[in-house]
Amino acid sequence: MKIVNFGSINIDIFFAVDHIVRPGETISAKSIEKRAGGKGLNQSIALAKNSKEVYHAGNIGSDGEFLAEYLENEGINTEFIRKSEILTGNAIIQVDEGGENSIVLYKGANFDNDKDFVDSVFEHFSENDILVLQNEINMMDYIINKAYEKRLKIVLNPSPITDEIKKFDYDKIDLLLLNEHEAKAISGKEGLYENIEFFKKTYPKLKLVITLGKAGSIYISKDELIRQKAYKVKAIDSTGAGDTFTGFFVANFYAGKDINTCLELATRASALSVTKKGASVSIPELSELDDFGKKLL
Ligand code: RIB
C-alpha cells in the first residue's frame, strides 16, 4: 500500500505577536521565523512518521527547493514534486501568546497543477493505494475523479473550507476528516448530531472523523460512533495540529489499526504538536509519543 499526498507546499513565515493584529492596527512582532509548511507538506510528514511508502505530489518554485529536500530527509518520496515557473506558496502566520493563529495564504505554485501532470502521477498508483488531499491546490475535482477512476481510496481534509469544496461530490470519498466548523459549512446544519445525521443520510458510504477542539473527536461510519477525549496541554502554537491529527489517523487507519487506537494516537500526536512552535517541525516522533503517553497515565 502506497500513500500519495497530492498537496500544498508552503514557506511559512511565523510572526510571534501579543495579539492577532486588528483591522487598521500596526503592531510589532517579538520574533519572526521561516519554516516549512503547507497543509499538504505537514500531513505528508505526519504520515511518514507512521508509514514507509509516502509520496508527495505537488509544485514548488525556484525558491522552494529546500522544501523538497526537507520532505526527502523525512523519508518521503519526492519524485512527483515538480519545479514551477511560479514562486512557492507562502503563508504569513501570526501566533499570539495563547498559541492561537491567524493565516494569510499566497497560493503560488500550489495552483500550477494541470491535467498532464495529474495523469502522469496517477500512472504510478492503483487500487491498493491511498490518495490524501487537502484544499490548498487547484484541479481538486480532476484529481478526485482520476483517483476514483483508478479505484484508489480517497481521503479528504476539506481545509481551508471554500464555496467550491462545499459543493463536492463526497460520494467518491472514503474518509473525510474535518473540524466542526467545516462540517457545519458543508451541511448547513448547526448541532453536532444534525451534522452527523446529514453526512450519514447524504453520503451513506462515507467514513467521517470530526474534530471538536477541547471536546475531542468522533469517528462515524454507518451505525458505528466512537468518541475520543482531548488531552489538556499548555498551548504554545496550534499551527499544524489538525495536519498532525490527519496524518497520524490516516496512516494508522489504513494500516488496519482499530479505530480507538487511531483516534487516540492522532489526538496524542496533535496535543504534543501544540506544545511546540511551528507546523511541520512540531510534528512528534513516535518515541516522543510514548514518553508523552506515560505522563498521561
Ligand atoms: O495547517 C497549517 C498550515 O496551513 C501552515 O503550515 C500553512 O502553510 C497553512 O497552509
Side-chain angles (χ1 to χ4, degrees):
M1 178 191 83
K2 292 184 278 195
I3 303 178
V4 55
N5 182 7
F6 222 123
S8 58
I9 303 174
N10 288 340
I11 298 172
D12 285 354
I13 314 285
F14 282 84
F15 292 80
V17 291
D18 289 333
H19 65 270
I20 308 290
V21 70
R22 292 185 269 267
E25 190 184 25
T26 302
I27 56 172
S28 286
K30 289 180 277 187
S31 65
I32 176 169
E33 275 166 280
K34 173 174 152 179
R35 301 196 183 97
K39 292 188 194 306
L41 178 144
N42 300 338
Q43 291 183 14
S44 281
I45 289 179
L47 287 162
K49 302 281 184 206
N50 296 275
S51 187
K52 285 202 174 65
E53 278 201 275
V54 178
Y55 293 71
H56 192 101
N59 302 287
I60 50 172
S62 54
D63 54 341
E65 270 173 50
F66 76 99
L67 297 164
E69 277 165 29
Y70 178 58
L71 281 165
E72 214 166 309
N73 290 337
E74 288 285 324
I76 294 149
N77 184 308
T78 57
E79 68 186 282
F80 307 117
I81 295 186
R82 210 167 51 146
K83 277 288 279 303
S84 163
E85 299 286 302
I86 306 167
L87 288 178
T88 304
N90 265 248
I92 301 297
I93 306 176
Q94 296 176 59
V95 181
D96 73 12
E97 295 209 308
E100 288 296 330
N101 67 28
S102 162
I103 304 180
V104 178
L105 280 178
Y106 163 67
K107 51 193 177 188
N110 291 317
F111 270 58
D112 200 20
N113 293 310
D114 54 48
K115 288 185 180 173
D116 288 347
F117 177 48
V118 175
D119 292 351
S120 70
V121 170
F122 282 105
E123 275 169 23
H124 301 267
F125 299 94
S126 59
E127 202 165 349
N128 299 320
D129 300 330
I130 315 294
L131 168 71
V132 178
L133 280 174
Q134 321 73 36
N135 189 28
E136 283 186 339
I137 58 170
N138 67 331
M139 310 260 326
M140 292 279 291
D141 267 329
Y142 188 79
I143 294 169
I144 289 177
N145 287 333
K146 193 80 203 169
Y148 190 75
E149 218 177 272
K150 296 209 73 176
R151 306 169 75 92
L152 275 80
K153 291 234 160 52
I154 305 172
V155 177
L156 176 65
N157 167 224
S159 182
I161 201 89
T162 52
D163 284 342
E164 296 87 71
I165 206 158
K166 286 190 219 163
K167 296 177 205 130
F168 263 37
D169 177 7
Y170 293 97
D171 261 334
K172 294 185 177 147
I173 309 298
D174 187 52
L175 173 66
L176 184 70
L177 296 109
L178 72 186
N179 64 33
E180 257 177 306
H181 310 290
E182 291 156 352
K184 285 180 190 173
I186 293 169
S187 69
K189 311 276 177 207
E190 259 312 305
L192 176 62
Y193 286 96
E194 284 170 283
N195 269 279
I196 294 174
E197 282 312 304
F198 166 86
F199 282 103
K200 275 173 71 170
K201 281 207 182 100
T202 323
Y203 307 107
K205 287 183 294 185
L206 190 66
K207 295 158 197 139
L208 193 67
V209 175
I210 307 181
T211 54
L212 306 163
K214 291 193 175 115
S217 54
I218 193 163
Y219 170 88
I220 305 113
S221 171
K222 300 198 172 79
D223 289 328
E224 195 176 14
L225 193 151
I226 300 174
R227 275 183 175 276
Q228 167 67 44
K229 65 171 188 189
Y231 295 127
K232 220 170 163 189
V233 288
K234 180 165 171 17
I236 301 293
D237 182 354
S238 62
T239 318
D243 303 329
T244 306
F245 185 100
T246 297
F248 272 71
F249 185 89
V250 169
N252 287 296
F253 180 76
Y254 288 103
K257 297 227 174 103
D258 69 274
I259 309 294
N260 287 299
T261 306
C262 298
L263 282 176
E264 199 281 326
L265 279 173
T267 304
R268 210 181 330 155
S270 66
L272 199 46
S273 78
V274 169
T275 65
K276 298 189 235 170
K277 282 187 187 172
S280 60
V281 290
S282 71
I283 298 170
E285 300 296 334
L286 297 183
S287 56
E288 291 176 78
L289 275 195
D290 288 345
D291 296 343
F292 183 58
K294 282 178 201 140
K295 283 185 210 148
L296 292 168
L297 292 175

